[in-house]
Amino acid sequence: MTVPGKPRKAAVAAWIGSALEYYDFFIYGTAAALVFNRIFFPSSSPATGTLLALATFGVGYLARPVGAFVLGHIGDKFGRKRVLVTTLVMMGTSTFLVGCLPTYDEIGVAAPILLVLLRLLQGFSVSGEQAGANAMTLEHAPEDRRGYYTSFTLNGTQAGQIIATAIFLPVAALPEEQLLSWGWRVPFWLSVVVAAAGVIIRRTLEETPEFEREVATDTVAKMPLAVLFREQWRDVLRVVVAAVIASVSTIFTVHALSYAVNTMGLERTPMLWVGVLANIAALISIPLWGRLSDRVGRKPVLIGGSLGSAVLMFGYLWSIYTGDFLLIFAVGIALFGIVYSAVNAVWPSFYGEMFTTRVRLSGMAIGTQIGFAIAGFGPTVATAVAGTGPESWLGVSIITAALCLVNVAAVATGRETYRVPTARLGLPPEVAAGRRDVSRRPGPSAGTP
């Protein structure tokens, strides 16, 4: 039973926490696209330096699956709240230390090595953030508004990107010497404030009714991963495949920025403003898409957003190729602020509704983070395959569109869950539909290892 006020509080806490967490994550991507090729890989050719800098962004995604296994286990066994506090502390610490790193000119090859290690720690911590926030909001939400409330997790992620980009706007406008010496460090140092505020907010959260019910009935899985891979491995696989749609985000935020500035010679500041305005549009559109999914279903909204993103990526990268800023802003906002927001709004509920309470955080974390790990190397793969020349926009667009179609196939063949009662989520279809009842107590089919 939903307690009045709790869904809203959980959604607000998830929004704020995700905004703070992803501020840290996105400032790294911006720095990788703009300055890391010159301060950590200066001995390489410009093209190779850019490729290596983007690769360090992708490295963070390698740690995500590992973190998902660890933090998913903790969240399903000990509660959602513990994960949400832990992730912020880890992210804030690793991000602050990135800002303290000496450059290649100061300590040589040790500089990029330390950068990669801290990026791995960032990836480890963020792996449990969205899954924990999604589980928290979904399990607090009214059954007919789960899509709306869980959309605020990704709404917070977009806010984090706005803050990260906005912080970099004055930094990017600094003279070159100041930008490369100390300016790029400031956004990373600010993560101390970010982490402190986030921990205070997250500590006030209450555990979800669904998890407390598991505790009260002594049905919390002692080994959630064993239950997950015995009973719901197909759902994990589906989420992995569907989650590669995140390539749209990494291509838009990292590759397109690098392509515009480093290849086409466009000014940094206007390109950063494209991201800011697109994410402002996303703040408005994401909850609207989430609300629509509560009325028409998750699958139509998700599939429509994926197909639209595939088409608009061609238009966005081509507009950068033309150098027409009016076109760049119009298509960029349409792509990332409106159409791709349909995907971001709905996947938190669609993925979360695939799993039972006992393994929900693990299932979402592992499935999404493996898929995101693939997507994280989107900029690197796109640059390696399509090259760094002006004409590379077409190859990158084709790669992105293909990954969107992979998502469409995974979603289209999945089951619709928006009308399934929360207590029956993740159960076999005939059980979830109420045609057959099964005991939720430990037993051969749902036992606790």
Side-chain angles (χ1 to χ4, degrees), residues 10 21 30 70 75 87 127 137 148 158 170 173 278 286 290-291 345 394 404 406 411 421-422:
E21 182 94 357
T30 305
V70 176
T87 55
S127 65
T137 51
Y148 172 72
Q158 305 309 116
I286 283 177
R291 187 184 295 273
L394 180 59
C404 289
V406 169
V411 173
T422 302

Side-chain angles (χ1 to χ4, degrees), residues 332-359:
I333 293 171
L335 166 61
F336 203 71
I338 300 175
V339 176
Y340 183 66
S341 290
V343 176
N344 277 338
V346 180
W347 75 249
S349 55
F350 184 69
Y351 298 167
E353 289 169 353
M354 292 185 187
F355 302 99
T356 63
T357 302
R358 304 175 75 223
V359 297

Side-chain angles (χ1 to χ4, degrees), residues 77-448:
K77 185 172 182 179
F78 301 105
R80 298 15 176 155
K81 180 177 177 179
R82 185 173 301 188
V83 167
L84 294 178
V85 173
T86 300
T87 55
L88 278 176
V89 173
M90 293 177 62
M91 176 62 83
T93 301
S94 58
T95 304
F96 175 79
L97 291 177
V98 169
C100 298
L101 284 178
T103 65
Y104 185 93
D105 289 339
E106 294 171 322
I107 63 172
V109 72
I113 291 175
L114 291 173
L115 178 68
V116 169
L117 290 176
L118 290 174
R119 180 60 176 170
L120 288 171
L121 185 57
Q122 273 193 329
F124 185 95
S125 66
V126 82
S127 65
E129 165 59 33
Q130 284 183 333
N134 289 344
M136 179 69 73
T137 51
L138 188 149
E139 292 171 8
H140 272 299
E143 293 186 342
D144 60 344
R145 303 191 72 190
R146 293 191 302 251
Y148 172 72
Y149 278 107
T150 56
S151 73
F152 281 92
T153 302
L154 267 292
N155 195 276
T157 299
Q158 305 309 116
Q161 190 167 346
I162 291 173
I163 298 169
T165 308
I167 291 293
F168 252 99
L169 281 169
V171 171
L174 289 171
E176 194 82 354
E177 182 180 353
Q178 296 180 28
L179 171 65
L180 298 180
S181 60
W182 61 267
W184 69 271
R185 300 179 184 274
V186 174
F188 291 89
W189 288 337
L190 290 176
S191 65
V192 171
V193 179
V194 169
V199 169
I200 292 172
I201 293 166
R202 289 277 171 88
R203 287 178 65 88
T204 65
L205 285 173
E206 295 183 23
E207 196 51 79
T208 71
E210 290 295 312
F211 184 80
E212 288 180 339
R213 187 176 299 114
E214 297 283 341
V215 173
T217 56
D218 196 28
T219 54
V220 175
K222 294 179 181 178
M223 296 293 292
L225 296 180
V227 176
L228 176 67
F229 286 107
R230 186 181 67 239
E231 300 179 0
Q232 295 199 254
W233 65 269
R234 292 179 181 83
D235 295 307
V236 175
L237 182 60
R238 185 178 302 281
V239 174
V240 169
V241 175
V244 299
I245 189 64
S247 299
V248 173
S249 177
T250 56
I251 293 294
F252 180 89
T253 58
V254 180
H255 175 84
L257 179 60
S258 177
Y259 172 66
V261 175
N262 299 324
T263 300
M264 300 308 301
L266 301 182
E267 294 182 19
R268 288 190 297 260
T269 299
M271 289 306 303
L272 290 173
W273 270 109
V274 175
V276 171
L277 295 179
N279 280 289
I280 290 174
L283 291 180
I284 300 171
S285 61
I286 283 177
L288 297 178
W289 287 120
R291 187 184 295 273
L292 180 64
S293 77
D294 285 327
R295 296 185 178 183
V296 304
R298 316 298 187 215
K299 292 170 63 174
V301 180
L302 257 174
I303 292 173
S306 297
L307 293 175
S309 297
V311 173
L312 285 177
M313 185 59 75
F314 283 88
Y316 182 60
L317 294 180
W318 177 77
S319 69
I320 294 175
Y321 173 73
T322 67
D324 185 336
F325 273 109
L326 181 61
L327 190 61
I328 291 171
F329 274 82
V331 182
I333 293 171
L335 166 61
F336 203 71
I338 300 175
V339 176
Y340 183 66
S341 290
V343 176
N344 277 338
V346 180
W347 75 249
S349 55
F350 184 69
Y351 298 167
E353 289 169 353
M354 292 185 187
F355 302 99
T356 63
T357 302
R358 304 175 75 223
V359 297
R360 179 166 294 122
L361 205 154
S362 296
M364 278 196 294
I366 294 170
T368 56
Q369 299 315 313
I370 294 176
F372 290 166
I374 298 171
F377 280 94
T380 309
V381 172
T383 302
V385 173
T388 57
E391 304 291 340
S392 63
W393 70 270
L394 180 59
V396 174
S397 299
I398 293 172
I399 293 170
T400 308
L403 293 172
C404 289
L405 294 178
V406 169
N407 169 272
V408 169
V411 173
T413 55
R415 60 186 181 273
E416 184 60 80
T417 54
Y418 78 112
R419 290 183 176 175
V420 178
T422 302
R424 293 178 177 267
L425 288 173
L427 297 175
E430 66 273 15
V431 178
R435 295 192 298 269
R436 180 169 63 87
D437 193 17
V438 295
S439 173
R440 292 179 59 81
R441 295 175 297 175
S445 63
T448 305

